[in-house]
Amino acid sequence: MTPMTSHLRNEIAMHGPLTVAAYMAAAMGHPEHGYYINRDPLGMTGDFVTSPEVSQMFGELIGLWCVAGWHQMGSPDTVRLVEMGPGRGTLMADALRAMTTAPECRAALDVHLVETSPTLSALQRKALDGISVAWHDALAEVPEGPLLLVTNELYDVLPIHQFIRTLQGWRERLVDTQSQGGFRFVLADQPTPALALLPDSLDGAPINSFAEMSAAAISLTHDIARRLVDHGGLALIIDYASDQGPLGDTFQAVRDHGNHHVLDDPGEADLSARVDFTTVARVARDGGAEVYGPVSQGEFLLALGIEARAAKLATGASAGQRQDIETALGRLIGSGEMGSLFKVLAIAAPGAPAPAGFEAAP
C-alpha cells in the first residue's frame, strides 16, 4: 500500500467518504505524497506532454500576445507578468525570449511564478537562470499592480465536485474504501453543501446525468477578475475544455501517456477534468471583468501567426528539423489534436478591447 493510499484510507476511516474534490486535492497536492510534489510529470519520460513542450512556437506566441496586451494597457512602466502552474518553466522562457524584440515592454516586466511543487520550481529556476523571477504559493502573494497573467493546463487539475441526478434530485458522488482494498464511488444519501454550486439550469437534467463543478476554479477566477478590475490588465486561460458546460463525467487519470482508472494508485497518476469555460466566463463577468472567447487553441494560434513563425523556423533547417516543425504545428493547431481539444479564454479589465487573437470571437 502506497503512503497516499494509506493516508486516504485513514481519512475515510476517520471522517467518512471523501468528496471527489477532497480526493483529487489530496492525491495531487498532498505536501508529502502528492502527485505534483515530488516528480516531473512532463515529457516523454513522464505522463503527459503540454503545448510548451511540443514546440517553442507556443511560448513565443504567448510572449508576443503579452507584448500586444501591454500596449493595449497603455504601456505601463511596471506590469506583473504572472504564470500560474508554470510546469518546467518552458513557456515562460520561450515567452521572455520572444519579448526581447520589444525592449520597452521587456524592461517593464516584473516576473512572478505561482508554483507549489518543489520539484518543478527547481526545474523552473534552471530554465530561467539569469532572469529575475519571484516564486509564490498563491496568486494572493503577487504584489498589486497591472497584470498580465497566463495559465496553461492549470484549471483542468483544480479539484472538482461530481454529482449524479437521481429520482430524489442531485446527489454528490463520493469516494469510499472497499473491504478488499482500494476505493470505490458511492453516492451521498443526503444533500451536501457542494450542491449549492450547481446552477438552476441543470434542474431539468435527465436521471443519471453527471455534472461537475469546481469551487477552486470559481474562486481562482473570481480572484483574477477582481485583480483586473482593481488594477488593470489581461489574463489568458488555455486548457482542455468541455463542450457541455457543467454536464458530463470528464474526470480522468493519465499515467505513462495512457488512460488510468481514477481510483487506482492515487498520487501516482495525473488527475484532471475538462474545464467548464461557461462557468469560468460567467464568474469573470459577474466580477465586473470583460471576457473574450473561448476560441479553440488552433484558431487562437493561427490568428497570432503561428504558420508564419513555423515557416521562419523551417528556413535553413534540415529535412528532419522541418518535419519536426510540421509535426509540432499539426499537434498545436490540428483538428482532433490540441488545436481543437484545447480552448483559450481571455479575461480583461472593464472596457478593454478584444485582445490579440480574439478580434473575431463572439
Side-chain angles (χ1 to χ4, degrees), residues 14-291:
M14 289 189 294
H15 305 295
L18 300 171
T19 66
V20 171
Y23 171 85
M24 194 174 175
M28 299 297 281
H30 186 277
E32 292 183 59
H33 312 303
Y35 175 78
Y36 274 109
I37 300 303
N38 302 310
R39 77 188 69 219
D40 171 14
L42 301 167
M44 294 310 298
T45 59
D47 292 323
F48 57 91
V49 176
T50 62
S51 293
E53 306 295 332
V54 170
S55 171
Q56 68 186 71
M57 295 184 289
F58 184 83
E60 289 170 345
L61 290 175
I62 298 302
L64 296 179
W65 181 88
C66 289
V67 171
W70 177 74
H71 283 296
Q72 281 189 332
M73 294 162 61
S75 307
D77 293 336
T78 301
V79 62
R80 315 296 184 198
L81 177 62
V82 179
E83 185 180 0
M84 300 189 67
R88 292 172 168 169
T90 305
L91 187 156
M92 183 59 75
D94 291 338
L96 289 172
R97 184 178 62 253
M99 294 172 81
T100 59
T101 60
E104 291 183 354
C105 176
R106 180 64 186 89
L109 299 179
D110 179 28
V111 183
H112 298 263
L113 299 183
V114 178
E115 179 60 72
T116 58
S117 165
T119 300
L120 292 176
S121 293
L123 292 172
Q124 294 154 18
R125 293 177 194 279
K126 183 176 181 181
L128 298 166
D129 184 43
I131 297 172
S132 177
V133 180
W135 274 263
H136 308 281
D137 290 330
L139 178 61
E141 298 176 9
V142 176
E144 295 181 346
L147 188 70
L148 284 168
L149 183 145
V150 176
T151 77
N152 180 66
E153 293 201 51
L154 168 70
Y155 269 70
D156 68 329
V157 300
L158 296 177
I160 60 163
H161 292 269
Q162 283 197 309
F163 310 91
I164 299 177
R165 179 77 168 171
T166 74
L167 290 172
Q168 292 74 41
W170 288 102
R171 290 293 183 267
E172 187 163 8
R173 199 184 198 192
L174 307 174
V175 177
D176 201 355
T177 53
Q178 297 189 96
S179 58
Q180 65 270 37
F183 303 94
R184 63 190 176 106
F185 285 119
V186 297
L187 274 185
D189 57 6
Q190 297 293 329
T192 53
L195 286 173
L197 295 170
L198 288 172
D200 294 341
S201 60
L202 298 186
D203 286 349
I207 300 301
N208 295 324
S209 295
F210 277 81
E212 297 170 339
M213 294 293 291
S214 173
I218 290 171
S219 178
L220 175 58
T221 304
H222 177 269
D223 290 346
I224 291 171
R226 181 182 55 79
R227 299 269 312 225
L228 296 175
V229 169
D230 290 346
H231 301 286
L234 293 167
L236 191 69
I237 301 169
I238 307 167
D239 228 310
Y240 191 48
S242 170
D243 293 324
Q244 304 179 79
L247 286 176
D249 176 10
T250 72
F251 188 31
Q252 67 172 8
V254 173
R255 190 175 186 184
D256 295 328
H257 299 271
N259 292 329
H260 194 76
H261 195 282
V262 292
L263 297 184
D264 290 346
D265 311 306
E268 302 297 321
D270 177 60
L271 300 178
S272 65
R274 293 195 181 196
V275 178
D276 170 17
F277 276 105
T278 301
T279 296
V280 173
R282 174 181 57 78
V283 171
R285 289 193 180 99
D286 288 349
E290 303 284 354
V291 177

